[in-house]
Amino acid sequence: MSWTDYYRRRDALAAVLEHARRNPAGDLPYDDVSDVFASPEKLVLALHYKWLLALTGRVGVAQAEAERDHDIDPVDAVSAAWRSTAAEHPTLRRLLDRHADTPALRAAVEGEQRMLALAAGLAEPADTTAQITRVGAAYLTLLRTTPELPARRRGPVEQLLRRLVPSA
Protein backbone atom coordinates (compact mmCIF):
# COMPACT_ATOMS: atom_id res chain seq x y z
CA MET A 1 0.00 0.00 0.00
CA SER A 2 1.38 3.37 -0.98
CA TRP A 3 1.11 6.49 1.12
CA THR A 4 -1.50 7.78 -1.29
CA ASP A 5 -3.60 4.65 -0.70
CA TYR A 6 -3.12 4.99 3.04
CA TYR A 7 -4.36 8.58 3.06
CA ARG A 8 -7.31 7.73 0.79
CA ARG A 9 -8.36 4.92 3.15
CA ARG A 10 -7.88 7.13 6.21
CA ASP A 11 -9.96 9.93 4.69
CA ALA A 12 -12.64 7.50 3.52
CA LEU A 13 -12.95 6.03 7.04
CA ALA A 14 -13.15 9.53 8.51
CA ALA A 15 -15.93 10.41 6.03
CA VAL A 16 -17.86 7.23 6.91
CA LEU A 17 -17.57 7.97 10.63
CA GLU A 18 -18.62 11.59 10.13
CA HIS A 19 -21.63 10.48 8.08
CA ALA A 20 -22.57 7.95 10.79
CA ARG A 21 -22.16 10.58 13.51
CA ARG A 22 -24.54 12.95 11.71
CA ASN A 23 -27.00 10.18 10.72
CA PRO A 24 -27.03 7.68 13.61
CA ALA A 25 -29.93 5.68 12.16
CA GLY A 26 -28.59 5.72 8.60
CA ASP A 27 -26.99 2.90 6.67
CA LEU A 28 -23.28 2.46 6.15
CA PRO A 29 -22.46 4.89 3.28
CA TYR A 30 -20.56 2.36 1.20
CA ASP A 31 -21.43 4.02 -2.13
CA ASP A 32 -19.50 7.12 -1.04
CA VAL A 33 -16.30 5.12 -0.55
CA SER A 34 -16.70 2.28 -3.05
CA ASP A 35 -13.69 3.56 -4.98
CA VAL A 36 -11.52 2.90 -1.91
CA PHE A 37 -13.03 -0.30 -0.46
CA ALA A 38 -13.82 -3.28 -2.67
CA SER A 39 -16.97 -4.24 -0.75
CA PRO A 40 -19.07 -3.24 2.26
CA GLU A 41 -17.44 -6.15 4.13
CA LYS A 42 -13.98 -4.69 3.49
CA LEU A 43 -15.21 -1.36 4.82
CA VAL A 44 -16.56 -2.95 8.00
CA LEU A 45 -13.28 -4.85 8.45
CA ALA A 46 -11.33 -1.60 8.07
CA LEU A 47 -13.55 0.01 10.71
CA HIS A 48 -12.90 -2.93 13.04
CA TYR A 49 -9.17 -2.62 12.42
CA LYS A 50 -9.37 1.07 13.37
CA TRP A 51 -11.16 0.03 16.59
CA LEU A 52 -8.52 -2.62 17.36
CA LEU A 53 -5.69 -0.12 16.94
CA ALA A 54 -7.25 2.15 19.55
CA LEU A 55 -8.24 -0.71 21.87
CA THR A 56 -4.97 -2.65 21.85
CA GLY A 57 -3.01 0.48 22.71
CA ARG A 58 -5.11 1.06 25.81
CA VAL A 59 -5.16 -2.61 26.78
CA GLY A 60 -1.36 -2.73 26.51
CA VAL A 61 -1.03 0.24 28.85
CA ALA A 62 -3.56 -1.32 31.25
CA GLN A 63 -1.62 -4.60 31.29
CA ALA A 64 1.65 -2.81 31.99
CA GLU A 65 0.10 -0.86 34.86
CA ALA A 66 -1.44 -4.03 36.34
CA GLU A 67 1.92 -5.84 36.13
CA ARG A 68 3.73 -2.94 37.78
CA ASP A 69 1.18 -2.34 40.56
CA HIS A 70 -0.20 -5.53 42.09
CA ASP A 71 -3.08 -3.57 43.64
CA ILE A 72 -4.56 -3.20 40.16
CA ASP A 73 -6.79 -6.07 39.11
CA PRO A 74 -6.08 -7.01 35.46
CA VAL A 75 -9.79 -7.60 34.78
CA ASP A 76 -10.64 -4.11 36.07
CA ALA A 77 -7.77 -2.57 34.11
CA VAL A 78 -8.76 -4.21 30.82
CA SER A 79 -12.42 -3.39 31.46
CA ALA A 80 -11.55 0.26 32.00
CA ALA A 81 -9.45 0.24 28.82
CA TRP A 82 -12.33 -1.17 26.76
CA ARG A 83 -14.85 1.25 28.26
CA SER A 84 -12.64 4.30 27.78
CA THR A 85 -11.96 3.32 24.17
CA ALA A 86 -15.70 2.88 23.57
CA ALA A 87 -16.38 6.27 25.19
CA GLU A 88 -13.73 7.95 23.04
CA HIS A 89 -15.03 6.35 19.82
CA PRO A 90 -18.82 6.09 20.26
CA THR A 91 -19.69 6.33 16.57
CA LEU A 92 -17.17 3.67 15.60
CA ARG A 93 -18.38 1.39 18.40
CA ARG A 94 -22.02 1.90 17.35
CA LEU A 95 -21.25 1.02 13.72
CA LEU A 96 -19.38 -2.12 14.74
CA ASP A 97 -22.17 -3.17 17.10
CA ARG A 98 -24.71 -2.68 14.34
CA HIS A 99 -22.69 -4.89 11.96
CA ALA A 100 -21.52 -7.42 14.55
CA ASP A 101 -23.45 -10.25 12.91
CA THR A 102 -21.76 -9.68 9.54
CA PRO A 103 -20.05 -12.95 8.55
CA ALA A 104 -16.95 -11.03 7.47
CA LEU A 105 -16.53 -9.68 11.02
CA ARG A 106 -16.87 -13.01 12.82
CA ALA A 107 -13.16 -13.89 12.79
CA ALA A 108 -12.12 -10.34 13.69
CA VAL A 109 -14.53 -10.16 16.63
CA GLU A 110 -13.44 -13.58 17.87
CA GLY A 111 -9.82 -12.39 17.73
CA GLU A 112 -10.77 -9.35 19.80
CA GLN A 113 -12.55 -11.59 22.30
CA ARG A 114 -9.47 -13.81 22.67
CA MET A 115 -7.20 -10.79 23.09
CA LEU A 116 -9.41 -9.41 25.86
CA ALA A 117 -9.69 -12.75 27.68
CA LEU A 118 -5.93 -13.27 27.62
CA ALA A 119 -5.11 -9.67 28.56
CA ALA A 120 -7.49 -9.76 31.52
CA GLY A 121 -6.01 -13.05 32.71
CA LEU A 122 -9.32 -14.85 32.34
CA ALA A 123 -7.81 -17.44 30.00
CA GLU A 124 -4.38 -18.95 29.51
CA PRO A 125 -2.51 -19.32 26.22
CA ALA A 126 -2.50 -23.09 26.79
CA ASP A 127 -6.32 -23.17 26.62
CA THR A 128 -7.91 -24.13 23.33
CA THR A 129 -8.85 -21.39 20.90
CA ALA A 130 -12.52 -22.28 21.35
CA GLN A 131 -12.25 -21.99 25.14
CA ILE A 132 -10.47 -18.63 24.99
CA THR A 133 -13.02 -17.32 22.48
CA ARG A 134 -15.93 -18.47 24.67
CA VAL A 135 -14.44 -16.80 27.76
CA GLY A 136 -13.74 -13.63 25.77
CA ALA A 137 -17.29 -13.54 24.40
CA ALA A 138 -18.74 -13.85 27.90
CA TYR A 139 -16.37 -11.17 29.21
CA LEU A 140 -17.26 -8.80 26.37
CA THR A 141 -20.97 -9.36 27.01
CA LEU A 142 -20.44 -8.47 30.67
CA LEU A 143 -18.47 -5.37 29.69
CA ARG A 144 -21.29 -4.16 27.47
CA THR A 145 -24.14 -4.91 29.86
CA THR A 146 -22.72 -4.18 33.31
CA PRO A 147 -22.50 -0.58 34.47
CA GLU A 148 -19.05 0.57 35.47
CA LEU A 149 -18.48 0.28 39.20
CA PRO A 150 -16.53 2.93 41.08
CA ALA A 151 -12.95 2.01 41.87
CA ARG A 152 -12.50 0.30 45.21
CA ARG A 153 -10.63 2.50 47.61
CA ARG A 154 -8.25 0.87 50.02
CA GLY A 155 -7.95 2.16 53.56
CA PRO A 156 -4.61 3.47 54.88
CA VAL A 157 -4.02 0.35 56.99
CA GLU A 158 -4.57 -1.95 54.02
CA GLN A 159 -2.26 0.20 51.87
CA LEU A 160 0.46 0.04 54.54
CA LEU A 161 0.09 -3.73 54.89
CA ARG A 162 0.36 -4.18 51.12
CA ARG A 163 3.61 -2.22 51.11
CA LEU A 164 5.06 -4.11 54.05
CA VAL A 165 3.95 -7.56 52.90
CA PRO A 166 3.98 -7.80 49.08
CA SER A 167 1.88 -10.96 49.12
CA ALA A 168 -0.92 -9.36 51.19
Side-chain angles (χ1 to χ4, degrees), residues 97-110:
D97 290 343
R98 185 181 302 157
H99 294 89
D101 58 351
T102 304
L105 261 187
R106 175 173 281 145
V109 169
E110 287 176 354

Side-chain angles (χ1 to χ4, degrees), residues 84-98:
S84 64
T85 306
E88 185 177 322
H89 302 281
T91 304
L92 178 57
R93 186 69 254 159
R94 189 178 73 246
L95 280 175
L96 292 173
D97 290 343
R98 185 181 302 157

Side-chain angles (χ1 to χ4, degrees), residues 68-136:
R68 188 179 62 243
D69 183 353
H70 296 293
D71 288 340
I72 298 174
D73 180 22
V75 174
D76 292 341
V78 172
S79 298
W82 190 92
R83 286 186 173 114
S84 64
T85 306
E88 185 177 322
H89 302 281
T91 304
L92 178 57
R93 186 69 254 159
R94 189 178 73 246
L95 280 175
L96 292 173
D97 290 343
R98 185 181 302 157
H99 294 89
D101 58 351
T102 304
L105 261 187
R106 175 173 281 145
V109 169
E110 287 176 354
E112 178 185 347
Q113 293 166 344
R114 287 189 297 273
M115 181 270 295
L116 290 170
L118 291 167
L122 297 171
E124 296 293 326
D127 295 340
T128 67
T129 302
Q131 289 171 325
I132 299 170
T133 304
R134 213 170 21 256
V135 169

Side-chain angles (χ1 to χ4, degrees), residues 17 25-27 31 47 49-50 77 93-94 105 120 124 149 165:
L17 289 170
D27 290 334
D31 292 338
L47 290 167
Y49 181 71
K50 183 175 180 66
R93 186 69 254 159
R94 189 178 73 246
L105 261 187
E124 296 293 326
L149 299 174
V165 183

Side-chain angles (χ1 to χ4, degrees), residues 44-64:
V44 172
L45 284 171
L47 290 167
H48 189 265
Y49 181 71
K50 183 175 180 66
W51 164 256
L52 274 184
L53 287 177
L55 178 62
T56 54
R58 286 188 191 236
V59 167
V61 169
Q63 281 183 294

